Amino acid sequence: LLFLFLNNCETISKKVDIATQKEEEKLSKFLKKRESDLKIEFGKPDSIEVTDNQKKILVYYDSKFQIKCERRFEIDKRNTVVGFSSKNCF
């Protein structure tokens, strides 16, 4: 019984790792792209934050299976995507 439990945990962990890798690959395609390209793909952001150094953070929320997914894209002064982060998106 213990073996089955550990084996299932390992399988779930592998699936999460694969989904996370796919998410990273998908979002990394937007690096060095224009803000408008990002909005074409994801639509209007749920919120916009402005950092101390005048960069914008576009925040997108999504829910799947009652899990809240958050994607954040950092936009520089030239309206170019320079970074991203993703939490609970798989």
Side-chain angles (χ1 to χ4, degrees):
L1 188 61
L2 180 60
F3 174 75
L4 288 175
F5 176 74
L6 292 175
N7 191 35
N8 285 340
C9 289
E10 185 177 327
T11 302
I12 291 170
S13 178
K14 286 180 183 179
K15 287 181 180 182
V16 169
D17 289 344
I18 290 169
T20 301
Q21 183 180 7
K22 286 181 181 180
E23 174 78 2
E24 293 264 332
E25 289 171 4
K26 176 183 175 181
L27 299 184
S28 67
K29 292 178 183 178
F30 291 99
L31 289 174
K32 299 182 183 176
K33 301 279 184 173
R34 307 283 300 160
E35 178 181 347
S36 58
D37 295 329
L38 185 66
K39 288 182 177 179
I40 289 170
E41 177 73 20
F42 290 99
K44 182 180 175 184
D46 294 300
S47 69
I48 300 173
E49 302 169 2
V50 179
T51 64
D52 292 339
N53 55 2
Q54 298 302 312
K55 290 184 179 178
K56 289 190 287 186
I57 307 291
L58 303 185
V59 183
Y60 293 89
Y61 296 108
D62 193 12
S63 289
K64 191 184 284 187
F65 306 116
Q66 302 263 331
I67 298 172
K68 189 173 183 179
C69 161
E70 177 184 89
R71 294 182 179 106
R72 301 171 70 83
F73 295 91
E74 184 176 356
I75 312 295
D76 67 8
K77 293 178 185 179
R78 298 180 314 221
N79 289 326
T80 303
V81 179
V82 294
F84 68 87
S85 68
S86 175
K87 185 168 65 173
N88 297 328
C89 302
F90 44 87

